[in-house]
Amino acid sequence: MAKGLDLNTVGELLDHVPRRLVQRGELTSFADLELEAHATLVAEVVSVNTRRMRNRRGSITEVVITDRSDHPGSDLLGRRENRMTLSFFNAWTAARELTAGTHALFSGKVTHYRGSLTMTNPHYAPLDVDDDVDTREAMQNATRPIAVYPATAKVTSDRIATAVHTVLGVIDWRTVPDPLPAEIADRHGYTDLPTAYEHLHRPPDESAWYRAKARFRHTEALVLQTALVRRRRAVELRPAPALPGKPDGVAARFEAALPFRLTDSQVAVGEELAADLAREHPMNRLLQGDVGAGKTVVALRAMLQAVDSGAQAALLAPTEVLAAQHFASIESALGPLAHAGTLGGDPDGTTVVLLTGSMPQSARKRTLLQIASGEAGIVIGTHALLSDTVQFADLGLVVVDEQHRFGVEQRDRLREAGLTVPHLLVMTATPIPRTVAMTVFGDLDVSVLQGLPGGRQPISTHVVGLLEHPTWEDRIFARAREEVEAGRQVYFVAPKIGDDDAVPPMGLADSARALAEIPEATDPVTGAQDSAEQAPGPEEAMVSTAWLAELVEQSPQLGGIPSAVLHGRLDPTDKAEVMAAFADGRTGVLVCTTVVEVGVDVPNATFMVVFDADRFGISQLHQLRGRIGRGSHASTCLLVTRREQGHPSRERLDAVAATTDGFELAQADLNLRREGDILGDAQSGGRSTLRLLRALDDVAVIEEARTEATEILEADPDLENHPGLAAAIAASLDEDTEKYLERG
Ligand code: ADP
Ligand code: MG
């Protein structure tokens, strides 16, 4: 059990929750089986036949079983059968025990042989009770549902059941603390802990099983929320310098000069941040706002408040491109206020500096000095800012932009390094459902920036299927030309970089037909989420920036239009150069990878074509699309695919084309993805993670547990009167979980 299922202790065995219950007499429908998967099923034996094998020594026993379905649905081989033939080799006991009419649990790998489903040498356990039983216990057993456990070929469901039953019979429950406080158990009408375990594994009926699971789910939620609330209280109690700002400081002058009116939501969130910063305890806030919602200006106002209070503020971006962008736009937004101490600068302003890993040594040295001396009020950079060589004079506020792209380790390091990070603001455009936020970011306050600033032009999005419409390839290029001729700019996005030598000598539409022949390699829905560079399917067949650049160059429509290529493997100085040329409007077409995915802000860009868009996940496409529609001109996004209509990955494209509302898309995304992807690996795997609780579904329980946890800690901050709960938190806070909580 330790090897196969990582069950090492009695406690872990007891927490191994049955996957489902099977009623006695109820048979498992064969239509639900998956090929090549390990299955546990209950079936009735129809006939048994043993014969000698012709070509080998020994015998074969063929056991025909049925699920007794009257109107059998077609199984995965497309057959309409309610029978399956199992093969046992040299299995004399099986031949004896499995007689016609017997109900038995079979477990093994489902394969196919000569067009029918089969299992070879499956493990089995007859379910029928002997006829001559008369004890009460046996009577009960006869009606009890059967628990089916997550199992492996070696550790079968019924072996687990046997072990659990053995253990349940010998536990001294007085030695097992109950994490769920008695008053909460009473209030919700839950049974005591021993009964709950009994019902989890050997329920008298289905409803008892559900009640038991509800109790354990609630316990899980409470343990997690108590840990998070306690942690948050601890952070809140830490001292931090108050950064109240001042009425006539840089912040006030910046606001007076803003070229637009802040939205109501920007004002409201700004007030929350201002109040947080003014307190003598650290701010710990997550700012969530859709792509283009205007988070930067909100963060900038907070940073200026820090500066006005005599402290420094750091803005961390996930990429150098984005850091450079932030630097350029903040510098221009502040104007003379960004250049105190230089000629033409405002002496009452501050100094904004950019520090990246790729700066020339001399410039870097100068910048480090400005940071160490306190001359630099606002420091912008990537994670390089967290390196040991960077010493701040007085760092008061750290803003982490687009945190979902910002490596977990970096954020961990940020907190570990202590860096005396008194006030922390984390910004993300990825909409996070409330309860996920509560579990994953449960120790942060959450602010939401609603809506988008007014005056935005809509983005219309279309899915372009090159397989159905090969001639549209030309039209895409023609459309790009029109856009550039009208003075606008264009993004061409490819899912990978590629080598110049590997560029296929054909257009996209031609290749679409070739591509249709190649089978998909991995799960198209879950596989493409993280990085386009690791997208599934035949890698070499993907559109690359190299290929696109070639197509642009060869294209009769786009000839003569200045274009450039931007991707992560470019030299940092080249990258900066390319980005600057595009921002200035010197480049008409930017052929790029997802390096432009986050934050990049060129309002004059109005046309985006994402090639092989099916290689990207929903949120990635939403982020990409957020690069256009930023100025006063209407924008268009084309999601080009060479997949056939009805291909599962085209569902994502349709979802993205259907709405520009990030929250709606997040929901669509959730529906198409497994929860593990959202919570990350730390959540879906490993022992210390969520077992029964589902952050997306168990909203009510999580909210309830949050309230209860707060109440408990208010009355009993050190959990002295809740030893069971304290022990459960300690146990679940092993190294992994500790890390996971840090990530908040
Ligand atoms: P995001 O939230 O995606 O980081 P940004 O902060 O980059 O969005 O803002 C997107 C664009 O909207 C920027 O060009 C910014 O100057 C502009 N903007 C921000 N707030 C407003 C506002 N209140 N009115 C008009 N434009 C705004
Ligand atoms: Mg941004």
Side-chain angles (χ1 to χ4, degrees):
M1 287 188 182
K3 210 164 151 194
L5 291 164
D6 195 23
L7 300 176
N8 304 286
T9 65
V10 165
E12 287 174 7
L13 176 64
L14 287 183
D15 285 336
H16 192 61
V17 179
R19 191 196 299 289
R20 61 191 160 92
L21 294 186
V22 177
Q23 298 300 334
R24 304 250 166 196
E26 179 193 320
L27 303 174
T28 313
S29 164
F30 294 165
D32 300 337
L33 299 179
E34 274 178 58
L35 207 55
E36 297 298 324
H38 181 85
T40 303
L41 58 92
V42 179
E44 184 181 317
V45 176
V46 177
S47 65
V48 181
N49 170 30
T50 302
R51 58 182 162 79
R52 240 169 236 301
M53 282 187 282
R54 231 170 290 148
N55 305 328
R56 278 197 280 164
R57 284 183 52 184
S59 71
I60 177 167
T61 301
E62 285 181 338
V63 176
V64 177
I65 57 172
T66 178
D67 64 0
R68 276 191 175 276
S69 48
D70 292 338
H71 306 286
S74 57
D75 64 23
L76 36 125
L77 297 176
R79 296 165 55 101
R80 300 183 149 271
E81 294 225 331
N82 62 6
R83 296 193 169 197
M84 195 194 303
T85 304
L86 313 178
S87 303
F88 294 83
F89 293 97
N90 302 322
W92 297 110
T93 351
R96 203 172 55 241
E97 290 183 342
L98 295 172
T99 51
T102 310
H103 282 194
L105 196 67
F106 296 93
S107 51
K109 193 157 110 177
V110 179
T111 56
H112 64 112
Y113 179 67
R114 294 200 178 150
S116 294
L117 293 180
T118 183
M119 293 201 269
T120 304
N121 287 336
H123 175 89
Y124 68 89
L127 295 175
D128 301 82
V129 264
D130 297 338
D131 293 335
D132 56 346
V133 287
D134 48 16
T135 63
R136 201 165 149 261
E137 154 114 38
M139 291 291 286
Q140 268 182 359
N141 276 341
T143 57
R144 240 185 241 289
I146 305 148
V148 179
Y149 291 89
T152 66
K154 289 224 173 70
V155 190
T156 56
S157 181
D158 70 286
R159 278 182 67 184
I160 297 168
T162 308
V164 169
H165 296 174
T166 306
V167 159
L168 281 175
V170 298
I171 287 180
D172 178 358
W173 289 104
R174 284 165 306 182
T175 66
V176 182
D178 185 356
L180 196 67
E183 63 273 15
I184 294 182
D186 288 347
R187 192 186 321 145
H188 294 274
Y190 297 136
T191 65
D192 61 10
L193 189 65
T195 314
Y197 272 118
E198 178 71 25
H199 287 180
L200 186 66
H201 296 286
R202 262 195 308 207
D205 52 47
E206 226 175 25
S207 77
W209 188 59
Y210 285 116
R211 290 303 295 160
K213 285 211 298 185
R215 186 194 206 273
F216 287 108
R217 190 177 298 123
H218 197 128
T219 307
E220 241 180 84
L222 185 71
V223 169
L224 183 62
Q225 290 302 331
T226 309
L228 289 166
V229 172
R230 191 162 68 158
R231 185 175 198 90
R232 178 159 142 168
R233 290 168 63 101
V235 171
E236 273 169 2
L237 290 175
R238 275 197 326 230
L243 305 173
K246 57 181 181 197
D248 51 354
V250 190
R253 298 184 50 197
F254 165 69
E255 271 151 50
L258 261 182
F260 47 72
R261 271 179 63 101
L262 293 172
T263 65
D264 291 349
S265 189
Q266 282 172 323
V267 171
V269 171
E271 277 165 10
E272 283 177 331
L273 300 189
D276 278 4
L277 290 175
R279 293 173 57 223
E280 284 174 337
H281 300 289
M283 168 165 81
N284 257 294
R285 196 169 279 278
L286 175 73
L287 172 56
Q288 196 186 311
D290 205 352
V291 176
K295 294 184 288 297
T296 316
V297 70
V298 173
L300 183 55
R301 291 176 69 212
M303 291 192 278
L304 293 175
Q305 180 173 335
V307 168
D308 282 338
S309 315
Q312 291 167 297
L315 173 60
L316 307 188
T319 63
E320 294 213 345
V321 169
L322 188 53
Q325 269 270 320
H326 272 319
F327 176 66
S329 67
I330 286 176
E331 211 186 20
S332 89
L334 287 175
L337 288 172
H339 301 283
T342 62
L343 213 59
D346 188 320
D348 295 327
T350 184
T351 300
V352 182
V353 298
L354 173 70
L355 187 82
T356 61
S358 60
M359 294 170 87
Q361 274 307 315
S362 56
R364 186 177 162 83
K365 257 206 178 117
R366 205 166 47 239
T367 308
L368 284 172
L369 258 172
Q370 288 176 299
I371 298 171
S373 69
E375 181 194 335
I378 293 179
V379 184
I380 298 167
T382 62
H383 58 274
L385 273 188
L386 303 183
S387 81
D388 305 332
T389 49
V390 183
Q391 295 287 334
F392 286 83
D394 180 11
L395 183 58
L397 166 66
V398 172
V399 179
V400 181
D401 193 20
E402 302 296 354
Q403 74 87 36
H404 69 289
R405 296 276 299 186
F406 199 78
V408 163
E409 304 80 39
Q410 281 96 334
R411 272 186 291 124
D412 279 353
R413 231 180 111 196
L414 174 70
R415 284 199 175 162
E416 272 160 32
L419 263 180
T420 53
V421 181
H423 298 283
L424 177 66
L425 176 66
V426 177
M427 305 200 289
T428 177
T430 307
I432 303 160
R434 195 174 134 66
T435 48
V436 175
M438 226 185 254
T439 21
V440 181
F441 303 104
D443 56 343
L444 297 180
D445 295 307
V446 179
S447 295
V448 179
L449 207 51
Q450 307 280 1
L452 300 179
R456 283 291 160 77
Q457 291 298 319
I459 306 172
S460 54
T461 309
H462 309 278
V463 179
V464 176
L466 282 184
L467 206 55
E468 311 102 82
H469 305 289
T471 56
W472 286 7
E473 181 175 356
D474 275 345
R475 286 176 57 187
I476 295 169
F477 289 95
R479 185 62 216 282
R481 173 169 200 98
E482 286 165 22
E483 212 66 36
V484 174
E485 280 176 343
R488 309 279 91 76
Q489 288 161 281
V490 175
Y491 290 106
F492 275 8
V493 184
K496 70 164 184 179
I497 300 169
D499 304 318
D500 295 326
D501 335 341
V503 173
M506 56 175 154
L508 293 169
D510 297 334
S511 68
R513 282 184 291 273
L515 185 74
E517 307 289 307
I518 309 175
E520 191 84 12
T522 9
D523 182 344
V525 175
T526 54
Q529 294 300 333
D530 291 336
S531 150
E533 247 91 18
Q534 294 162 15
E539 166 86 15
E540 66 281 1
M542 258 195 273
V543 172
S544 66
T545 50
W547 183 6
L548 263 189
E550 182 81 16
L551 286 174
V552 168
E553 203 159 292
Q554 306 289 330
S555 146
Q557 291 98 337
L558 290 178
I561 289 177
S563 65
V565 178
L566 181 72
H567 57 67
R569 272 200 244 131
L570 287 185
D571 197 271
T573 41
D574 292 348
K575 239 190 285 182
E577 178 55 35
V578 169
M579 206 52 231
F582 191 65
D584 295 352
R586 279 177 278 146
T587 312
V589 178
L590 187 67
V591 174
C592 54
T593 57
T594 53
V595 81
V596 299
E597 180 183 333
V598 283
V600 169
D601 187 22
V602 180
N604 192 46
T606 51
F607 189 54
M608 172 175 281
V609 188
V610 184
F611 293 90
D612 280 354
D614 48 87
R615 303 293 179 151
F616 299 96
I618 286 184
S619 64
Q620 226 175 356
L621 289 171
H622 181 56
Q623 280 283 344
L624 278 169
R625 179 173 56 183
R627 300 312 109 215
I628 55 173
R630 306 193 138 236
S632 50
H633 303 280
S635 292
T636 305
C637 177
L638 299 184
L639 305 175
V640 179
T641 177
R642 296 177 287 156
R643 295 277 180 218
E644 72 276 17
Q645 236 157 356
H647 189 280
S649 58
R650 279 187 65 163
E651 268 180 46
R652 295 203 303 275
L653 305 189
D654 293 336
V656 175
T659 178
T660 48
D661 181 322
F663 204 86
E664 240 174 75
L665 280 174
Q667 286 299 333
D669 207 7
L670 294 182
N671 297 339
L672 292 171
R673 290 162 70 176
R674 289 163 306 145
E675 179 163 272
D677 295 322
I678 301 145
L679 295 181
D681 290 342
Q683 277 296 288
S684 54
R687 167 133 322 286
S688 57
T689 57
L690 301 186
R691 231 178 284 276
L692 281 164
L693 200 63
R694 292 289 164 264
L696 298 176
D697 302 332
D698 298 326
V699 176
V701 182
I702 292 172
E703 293 189 340
E704 202 155 17
R706 180 80 172 188
T707 311
E708 288 164 352
T710 309
E711 283 167 10
I712 289 173
L713 287 167
E714 223 124 77
D716 181 15
D718 298 321
L719 296 177
E720 277 163 3
N721 303 320
H722 296 83
L725 185 55
I729 292 172
S732 70
L733 284 187
D734 65 10
E735 234 170 285
D736 276 358
T737 313
E738 188 71 60
K739 271 231 176 73
Y740 140 68
L741 287 174
E742 281 288 347
R743 283 168 203 168

